């Protein structure tokens, strides 16, 4: 019985640890997206989506052409380096409503070609946004 309990405990620990890191597929992807607790909320498609970035207000917007489906992220600072901590306010559309989350603590996982990969370990939120120049 002790052995079974130990095995279950170890499996739970491994599962919990995996949920606290940004998935490798997201880090390797160039797609702008919002993923919350492993569920893709929005994924950018250049054929029918738009992106915007306002450096003065630090607002990133990604949405479909009608803006019926979108997410916005307003950050405390413009992310500039891997490992940097950035606070952000999120807003996104769901099936029937607009959802939001304030004061999300992100860590910059990667910056490449203007794309910024952000991960909130606590909230399990991954966001990939683009700094437009």
């Amino acid at each position: 019985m002790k052995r079974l309990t130990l095995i279950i405990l170890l499996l739970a620990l491994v599962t919990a640890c995996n949920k606290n890191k940004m998935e490798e597929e997201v880090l390797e992807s160039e797609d702008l997206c919002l993923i919350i607790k492993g569920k893709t909320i929005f994924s950018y498609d250049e054929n029918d989506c738009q992106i915007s970035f306002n450096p003065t207000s630090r607002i990133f917007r990604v949405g479909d052409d009608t803006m019926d489906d979108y997410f916005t992220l307003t950050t405390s600072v413009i992310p500039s380096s891997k490992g940097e901590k950035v606070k952000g306010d999120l807003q996104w559309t769901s099936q029937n409503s607009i959802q939001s989350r304030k004061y999300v603590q992100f860590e910059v996982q990667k910056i490449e070609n203007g794309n910024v990969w952000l991960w909130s370990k606590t909230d399990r939120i991954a966001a990939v946004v683009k700094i437009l120049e």
Side-chain angles (χ1 to χ4, degrees):
M1 185 66 179
K2 285 184 180 181
R3 186 176 188 147
L4 179 60
T5 303
L6 180 61
I7 290 171
I8 291 171
L9 190 62
L10 286 173
L11 287 173
L13 182 62
V14 168
T15 302
C17 289
N18 285 338
K19 290 181 180 179
N20 286 329
K21 67 178 186 125
M22 190 175 212
E23 297 295 329
E24 291 298 321
E25 304 90 54
V26 176
L27 279 173
E28 293 172 6
S29 172
E30 295 295 317
D31 294 336
L32 306 180
C33 62
L34 176 65
I35 301 168
I36 299 176
K37 296 182 180 174
K39 179 181 177 194
T40 300
I41 304 299
F42 189 90
S43 184
Y44 175 79
D45 177 353
E46 68 181 31
N47 294 320
D48 64 0
C49 291
Q50 301 176 34
I51 59 173
S52 69
F53 170 64
N54 182 322
T56 304
S57 56
R58 302 164 319 280
I59 297 175
F60 298 88
R61 285 189 179 92
V62 183
D64 66 12
D65 286 339
T66 63
M67 289 304 282
D68 287 336
D69 204 15
Y70 68 88
F71 78 92
T72 64
L73 174 62
T74 305
T75 57
S76 56
V77 297
I78 297 172
S80 61
S81 61
K82 182 179 177 179
E84 179 180 20
K85 306 286 190 214
V86 176
K87 287 185 183 169
D89 295 340
L90 269 171
Q91 186 178 63
W92 69 93
T93 53
S94 65
Q95 287 182 345
N96 301 333
S97 65
I98 297 172
Q99 305 288 317
S100 64
R101 181 114 12 116
K102 292 199 172 276
Y103 313 114
V104 179
Q105 180 72 44
F106 290 101
E107 182 176 333
V108 177
Q109 299 295 302
K110 179 168 118 175
I111 297 180
E112 190 174 278
N113 301 322
N115 287 2
V116 180
W117 287 258
L118 299 164
W119 171 242
S120 171
K121 178 180 174 181
T122 305
D123 296 299
R124 292 184 46 224
I125 298 174
V128 182
V129 294
K130 186 166 196 75
I131 298 172
L132 298 172
E133 301 198 19

